[in-house]
Amino acid sequence: MNRFKLLPLYCLIAAFSVADGQQLTVAQKVDALMKKMTLAEKIGQLNQVNGDWAATGPITTDVGDKLEQIRKGQIGSVLNITGVAHTRAFQDAAMQSRLKIPLLFGQDVIHGYSITFPIPLGEAASWDIAAIERSARIAGTEAAAGGVHWTFAPMVDIARDPRWGRVMEGAGEDPYLGSQIARARVKGFQGNGFGSLDAIMACAKHYAAYGAAIGGRDYNSVDMSLHTLWEFYLPPFKAAAEAGAATFMNSFNSLNGTPASASSYLQRDILKGKWGFKGFVVSDWNSIGEMVQQGYAKDNDQAAEFAIKAGNDMDMESRSYINNLEKLVAAGKVPVKLIGEAVRRILTKKFEMGLFDDPYRYSNADREKSVLNKPEFIAAARDMARKSIVLLKNQGQVLPLSKNLNRIALIGPLVKAKKEMKGFWSLDIGDEGKIVSLYEGMQQAAGKTQLLYAKGCDITDTSRTGFDEAFKTAMQADEVVMAMGERPDMTGEAKSRANIHLPGVQEELIQKIMATGKPVVVLLMSGRPMVFNWTADHVPAILYTWWLGNEAGNAIADVLYGNYNPSGKLPITFPRTEGQIPIYYNHYNTGRPPQNDSDVNYTSAYIDLPNSPKFAFGYGLSYTAFKYSNLKLSGKSLQSNGAIIVSFDLTNTGKYAGEEVAQLYLRQLISQPVRPVKELKDFQKIMLQPGETKTLTFTIDKEKLSFYNDQLQWGTQPGEFNLMIGSASDDIRLQDGFELL
Ligand code: GLC
């Protein structure tokens, strides 16, 4: 008998690893550790609790002594915790546990850590994938230096309803743009890979279809066909998984009657099965426990059973797992192997992050001091902010501002706002002094021009007492710049608005100031598309600035003075009014499409409103103009494994250097099921000097022509296609057709 056969396998592995040092794989290290763990300790790894900082959800009461629970191995991860000192204290407790399994520290590093970048919807408006990746890279680098291992980002929810407050957190309505940005953000956060001291784990959320909450009401139910789910809502999640996202977070909503945390279809069949996802799934805040409120589970015990069986690995803040799983295993209701699978996924990430080599490796005070707020990071934030600004209107070339003006009046409730510039889901790591208000940005840029100021009104208050002073101030100026918008806490989680008009009496103030006859520029600051029709129809120059972060004031001044020519394009449709919602560009044609905005003769149209949006997906102006010409296709047909090369010339016909986002849209004319009237399939953002022409090319291949059919199979159908190239989804400059054979 070969004596080796008598030794348990893990002794052999341990023996070899000891002899060979680095020979042990992560999987083998996990195996060896799990063999030592009790069931209770394994369940402890599935339990995530809130740190001592701001809660990002309803607080569960009487949770006991968290540090003591960590010492007992009952907690595997802590969220809402930042800073080297704070994370070290919690890790110390973990090092006093029996097996010294390090904690994972998670935080919502959504658009910056110490330096805040534009909100994600604003960054999406840049259509600058490299800049978006860099923004996430910097956020990840700072967070890693601040003791954070894991960000609950990118949020990749497709959103077609601006009443939903979390529209600010994603990349808008389009699956293609959303997928490109999902990849960029995952790569940005995860940088040089787990274990690198400037990389943190990403978390694609909220899986899935959270943005389709009925009525745009946060946390509301979602009901959609699986075809719509696969065609429009899953692609950015698939892209995030393909980009190697370390984790996924499921969503609060039920999808077709099943809460996402209990959905084996989403978490096991699709994510871990079809897509082969090897990371782990964390619930959203108490989303497991909320199965009871949903009427899906009778109690937390049953919720825990449903969730672990459905593939939800970690329980954020519901304590359903820690309080019930051991009993469920003992009662034979939950196979112990499901616990093992979940623990294995979580421990694998802790090993990959190097936390077993050094649990404190991300909590280094010297690195925290040297990495945060680097000048090059601040410069990148300014660059990202400038690129996120969308020029909606510039009648009579009111912009850019002349440097020779004697006086500019800065009017509005957001002129001197500072912390507001950070928007929702920003962290208070650094001091607010670093945030540049519009007023401060203009002071830096205005040179000899004198700046006058009047607040005029508040954001939501209906008092008009400031109007007269604002009017008088405007009368003394050569030009007026107004900073208007929402409060940053009006768009975000649990911030749905049934009325998305510019709030308060702000539009009345704009009317009052327009009555001075001065040239007026309106800046609109918000996390969502707002309705502001009078302003849009009467004010000559309008910039949508979202919430631009620390460098807001400098970036806006750069654009106002033409130091940067605005290049942003809307990543989401702007409705004329709430009654149009949901409205999005990639809609189906219907059997009775209106021929124009006033065609209501037995057509799919409103009799009291034009059908078109106020501003379309992909729309954004420049201080210069671009001409599209000379469209050529390498062929008028292709086999499914072939390709067509599309080329065209783009010319800057104006007097300013500027960037254009040339957009490629396709439409399959006949298919089963039907296809949208147009779908974004590619884009290029390119800088052109005045008078310069460049030839751009797009490649049309099987990937761009594929879609999910009625059986949810990804593939192509032969047929005719329209090809459209334009400056916006409603501004098509070149068209042609081809056939897929
Ligand atoms: C919140 C959000 C989620 C966030 C989590 C932790 O409720 O839904 O996006 O990551 O809780 O803060």
Side-chain angles (χ1 to χ4, degrees), residues 304-331:
E305 179 184 350
F306 285 149
I308 195 75
K309 286 180 175 175
N312 182 122
D313 300 305
M314 186 182 279
D315 170 11
M316 180 193 290
E317 264 296 329
S318 90
R319 292 174 176 75
S320 304
Y321 280 7
I322 196 73
N323 293 338
N324 299 292
L325 278 183
E326 199 159 0
K327 286 180 295 179
L328 286 163
V329 169

Side-chain angles (χ1 to χ4, degrees), residues 490-547:
M490 295 173 77
T491 305
E493 182 174 356
K495 307 297 180 190
S496 299
R497 287 180 68 198
N499 169 345
I500 58 171
H501 281 62
L502 184 60
V505 294
Q506 295 183 66
E507 205 150 39
E508 283 183 44
L509 177 63
I510 293 169
Q511 291 171 12
K512 178 98 176 167
I513 298 304
M514 282 297 291
T516 65
K518 304 286 182 180
V520 175
V521 179
V522 169
L523 309 173
L524 292 171
M525 303 178 178
S526 173
R528 59 158 41 96
M530 294 186 291
V531 172
F532 48 94
N533 292 321
W534 191 93
T535 299
D537 296 339
H538 296 88
V539 172
I542 303 168
L543 289 164
Y544 219 79
T545 70
W546 316 102
W547 298 112

Side-chain angles (χ1 to χ4, degrees), residues 48 50 54-58 79-80 107-108 110 151-153 155 166 169 203 205-206 210 218-219 249-250 252 283-286 316 425 493:
Q48 181 186 61
N50 194 42
T56 46
L79 75 143
N80 286 335
Q107 177 62 51
D108 293 287
I110 307 296
T151 179
F152 304 125
M155 186 273 222
R166 301 197 77 164
E169 203 176 335
C203 180
K205 71 183 186 182
H206 304 80
Y210 180 33
D218 208 353
Y219 316 125
M249 180 186 293
N250 58 39
F252 290 117
S283 75
D284 202 338
W285 184 291
N286 191 36
M316 180 193 290
W425 286 120
E493 182 174 356

